[in-house]
Amino acid sequence: DIVLTQTPLSLPVTPGEPASISCRSSESLVDADDGNTYLDWYLQKPGQSPQLLIYTVSSRASGVPDRFSGSGSGTDFTLKISRVEAEDVGLYYCMQRIEFPWTFGQGTKVEIK
Amino acid sequence: QVQLVESGGGAVQPGTSLRVSCGASGFIFSSFSMHWVRQVPGKGLEWVAAISHDGGEKNYADSLKGRFTISRDNSKRTLFLHMKRLRVEDTAIYYCARDHGDQGSDWGQGTLVTVSS
């Protein structure tokens, strides 16, 4: 199975400041057939299901504020929040969908300092 | 607007069976592969199973093969997960998800299954 390793696991942030989460994969997530890289980012707010933020590395899902951005290639990926807001607190997960089983990072808990 | 609504969760005893469902709306259900993902409360996410758009192909987490069965009824726009010989460690929130290919995936709100004696 593909292993996704997120760092850090805990991220205290100051509102208005930037934040960054890393996700490293044990294998390349590039699909040889279509060229897409199947790495997504999700935010799970307390008491809610995971909601899609970023798909295929860098595409923002509908309704996601532009302060969220994704980057990376191959096996190394990053989620950045340009200016953290209070509503951004929760658990952030990276997820790969290039092969079964879908696998997830351990989650990064973002909280306000 | 895509909507996925899980149902059928509840409290059951170890060794029993349970079927959870996921009703879909807002998209052409029969065109998309569907998945089940579970989450032990307070813990991480675990992929459970997937089924192709027409039900012809099914994939399972190795640890669950033989006990869990995924199925779908495209005429009723509904996804199912039949779980048998349930164990305490199967206690989790079960989410259904639409596989939207190169546009990510959409998830429901989940249904809680509690296995306890």
Side-chain angles (χ1 to χ4, degrees):
Chain A
D1 296 358
I2 293 176
V3 176
L4 298 179
T5 303
Q6 283 182 237
T7 54
L9 299 184
S10 178
L11 184 57
V13 295
T14 300
E17 294 296 306
S20 179
I21 301 170
S22 171
C23 177
R24 178 163 291 180
S25 173
S26 61
E27 301 176 30
S28 172
L29 302 182
V30 181
D31 189 313
D33 292 331
D34 63 18
N36 288 318
T37 303
Y38 288 91
L39 185 284
D40 307 327
W41 290 95
Y42 290 79
L43 165 59
Q44 186 172 33
K45 294 184 178 181
Q48 297 184 17
S49 64
Q51 59 187 79
L52 180 66
L53 291 176
I54 302 287
Y55 59 92
T56 53
V57 179
S58 58
S59 296
R60 262 190 309 276
S62 176
V64 174
D66 60 8
R67 64 179 181 273
F68 291 93
S69 64
S71 62
S73 63
T75 60
D76 288 298
F77 307 95
T78 302
L79 175 71
K80 291 183 180 177
I81 310 173
S82 59
R83 294 174 304 280
V84 173
E85 297 188 6
E87 65 183 25
D88 300 336
V89 298
L91 275 164
Y92 288 77
Y93 292 96
C94 57
M95 182 183 94
Q96 67 80 18
R97 292 183 297 118
I98 193 172
E99 67 176 39
F100 297 134
W102 286 358
T103 51
F104 303 85
Q106 313 97 302
T108 296
K109 186 174 184 179
V110 171
E111 54 190 3
I112 300 296
K113 281 182 182 175
Chain B
Q1 181 180 350
V2 172
Q3 270 206 308
L4 298 166
V5 180
E6 300 90 338
S7 60
V12 297
Q13 292 195 329
T16 61
S17 298
L18 187 68
R19 188 182 77 169
V20 293
S21 304
C22 171
S25 61
F27 65 99
I28 303 173
F29 181 70
S30 58
S31 295
F32 293 89
S33 295
M34 298 293 295
H35 298 246
W36 287 100
V37 177
R38 69 182 183 180
Q39 183 176 36
V40 174
K43 301 294 184 183
L45 297 159
E46 178 187 20
W47 178 82
V48 171
I51 186 168
S52 61
H53 69 96
D54 61 358
E57 185 174 338
K58 302 176 185 180
N59 289 274
Y60 297 93
D62 285 344
S63 61
L64 301 175
K65 278 179 187 173
R67 291 196 306 121
F68 285 23
T69 302
I70 189 171
S71 63
R72 64 192 297 162
D73 184 337
N74 283 346
S75 68
K76 296 183 178 177
R77 306 170 62 84
T78 305
L79 176 72
F80 302 102
L81 183 67
H82 185 224
M83 303 176 283
K84 60 183 183 182
R85 300 194 302 274
L86 281 162
R87 304 169 181 169
V88 170
E89 54 266 35
D90 294 319
T91 294
I93 301 169
Y94 285 76
Y95 299 105
C96 69
R98 174 181 75 147
D99 186 344
H100 202 180
D102 62 1
Q103 297 184 49
S105 63
D106 307 288
W107 296 42
Q109 288 303 304
T111 186
L112 176 62
V113 173
T114 303
V115 185
S116 172
S117 54

